[in-house]
Amino acid sequence: FESLIQPLRFDPFWYRPSVVLNNISIRNSVSLEPIIYVASPLIDLRDGKGISFTLGNAEVVNNQSGILLESFGSDGIKYKLNKLYFGDNHIPSGDASMGMLHMDFANSANDIPTIGSLAFERNDASGLPIGLSVSGNSSQSVKLMLFIVLIQSQ
């Protein structure tokens, strides 16, 4: 995905049994909209209609916004994240409290989700370094397998 306003958006009325995004590259997005936005689906997921959402082997380079995932850790969406690289992303007038990968934890989280490897290199919001950020259910936990932050010295 090259120079798009918002390469991937899953609105609140979406449903698929599974989504697999593997071996993707998102580059040069200059919009302040999230480059990947996954909303919490408003459809009824209580009937066992869960969603498997896989994002792996992805590189996010030279963008002005990050990835926003809602309902992280919920029974409805089972996220599988692994081998994600974020490099040289610069949010020009951004708030450093929101990282390049932002996960909004669900209130009804039962499982402790596991995240594979993440790498962050030279990412900033208005000059402040950013990487992973979370919000939502403060009692939620996450297992992170490998987390690498590379900051280039001046």
Side-chain angles (χ1 to χ4, degrees), residues 11-122:
D11 284 323
F13 296 101
W14 76 283
Y15 175 78
R16 296 285 180 274
S18 68
V19 174
V20 178
L21 302 171
N22 200 23
N23 296 317
I24 66 169
S25 175
I26 300 174
R27 296 175 170 272
N28 304 315
S29 174
V30 295
S31 170
L32 296 179
E33 293 292 325
I35 54 174
I36 297 177
Y37 171 64
V38 182
S40 177
L42 296 177
I43 62 166
D44 189 355
L45 296 175
R46 291 176 291 179
D47 296 329
K49 292 183 179 181
I51 299 168
S52 170
F53 194 101
T54 301
L55 177 60
N57 298 313
E59 63 176 8
V60 176
V61 178
N62 197 34
N63 298 289
Q64 291 187 3
S65 62
I67 296 173
L68 174 58
L69 306 175
E70 293 183 353
S71 294
F72 199 83
S74 75
D75 292 336
I77 302 178
K78 300 290 187 192
Y79 287 104
K80 298 173 188 166
L81 308 176
N82 192 25
K83 297 181 182 175
L84 306 182
Y85 171 75
F86 298 83
D88 295 308
N89 296 289
H90 307 285
I91 302 174
S93 60
D95 179 1
S97 65
M98 191 108 151
M100 288 307 301
L101 175 59
H102 182 81
M103 299 175 294
D104 183 36
F105 283 100
N107 288 330
S108 61
N110 293 329
D111 294 332
I112 297 176
T114 300
I115 299 174
S117 61
L118 305 175
F120 297 90
E121 182 176 19
R122 295 182 308 272

